[in-house]
Structures are given as structure tokens and as C-alpha cells.
Amino acid sequence: MSFLLDGKRLGHGSGGASMDKNDSVRGAREGAGCGCPVLAFQKMVSGKYKVRILWDLKDGARRYGEIRSGLLRGGDGSAEIAPRVLSRELKALATAGLIDRRDYGTVPPKVDYRLTPMGRSFVPIIDSIRKWGARHLAGV
């Protein structure tokens, strides 16, 4: 089986080169038609909770339980966030450089999360999205 990608025949039995992981990533970027910064941004904030976590951290550092409570507050009847999911979202935001995890090294453990300068620079964008939603999605 073979297929064409940008005029090249790829796949098994084609006699051509096979597609590796980097080729598929490159193809996704080119296929998006919008350039790397937009695709990278989309990947950074994709997910059900990441933008809401960033918005909740706009007023200062929060502990894990406070973030979890904030996600439940004003919920639209969706199921409670699983601890594993919240931990994964927080780790992804920290890896992306949008939040900072501060471990106080105490017993019992005390950890809080706060926006980094890059994360703070995203707050006005979220606010614009919130205002747009209030104007255009009020009846939805």
C-alpha cells in the first residue's frame, strides 16, 4: 500500500522512502495552512481545562485544591475533574512555561501554582475571548 504526500510516493512496496515521525509532524504543520506559531499555540492550550486554569491563576498563586475547586465552580454540569487529569494539565502548562510550580518542601507537602510572565501575558487574550463569548454566545 502506498500514498502520495507532496508528490512523493510513500508507504510499503512503493519503492520510495517511508514516512517517519518527523515527516508526519512536518506534514501536519504544512497541512494546517496557518504557520507554526498558531499550531504551537493551539497545542499549548488545547484541552478542556488549560485556559480555565490560566484564568483562575490570574489573581495570584493557588494550591491544587483551590484550582480544582475553581474548575468545579461555575461548571456547566460536566463531570468532576479527575485528579490525574488535573495533574496532567498542570504539568503540561508548567512544561509549556505558562505556570510555575512552587514546592515549599514541607511536611505535609505544600505546593502552589502561579503564572509565569509568559502566562501573565496570555491573560488579556483570555479576557478578550471571555468578552467575545459574552457578546456572541450568550444564548447558547
Side-chain angles (χ1 to χ4, degrees):
M1 181 172 160
S2 65
F3 56 94
L4 291 175
L5 178 66
D6 295 331
K8 294 183 198 173
R9 184 166 298 284
L10 303 172
H12 303 300
S14 66
S18 64
M19 193 162 121
D20 68 6
K21 182 180 174 184
N22 292 331
D23 287 338
S24 65
V25 170
R26 215 173 297 115
R29 286 182 179 159
E30 292 167 0
C34 58
C36 296
V38 173
L39 186 63
F41 170 79
Q42 180 183 6
K43 184 176 179 181
M44 187 185 309
V45 298
S46 66
K48 187 173 182 178
Y49 300 103
K50 288 178 185 166
V51 172
R52 290 175 57 194
I53 291 168
L54 293 171
W55 184 250
D56 280 351
L57 291 174
K58 75 184 181 313
D59 296 322
R62 298 237 192 277
R63 295 183 69 179
Y64 179 92
E66 294 171 319
I67 294 170
R68 188 166 184 264
S69 297
L71 292 174
L72 299 175
R73 182 184 68 243
D76 56 354
S78 59
E80 208 171 281
I81 184 171
R84 181 172 166 239
V85 174
L86 179 54
S87 294
R88 184 179 62 221
E89 297 285 75
L90 290 168
K91 285 177 187 173
L93 288 168
T95 300
L98 294 171
I99 66 171
D100 184 42
R101 179 183 187 272
R102 183 174 178 191
D103 187 341
Y104 290 86
T106 61
V107 176
K110 180 180 177 185
V111 175
D112 67 26
Y113 298 87
R114 63 191 69 237
L115 293 174
T116 62
M118 185 167 70
R120 278 191 299 278
S121 73
F122 187 52
V123 170
I125 296 165
I126 300 171
D127 190 42
S128 294
I129 293 168
R130 184 188 62 80
K131 288 175 183 173
W132 183 92
R135 272 194 316 270
H136 299 286
L137 303 175
V140 177

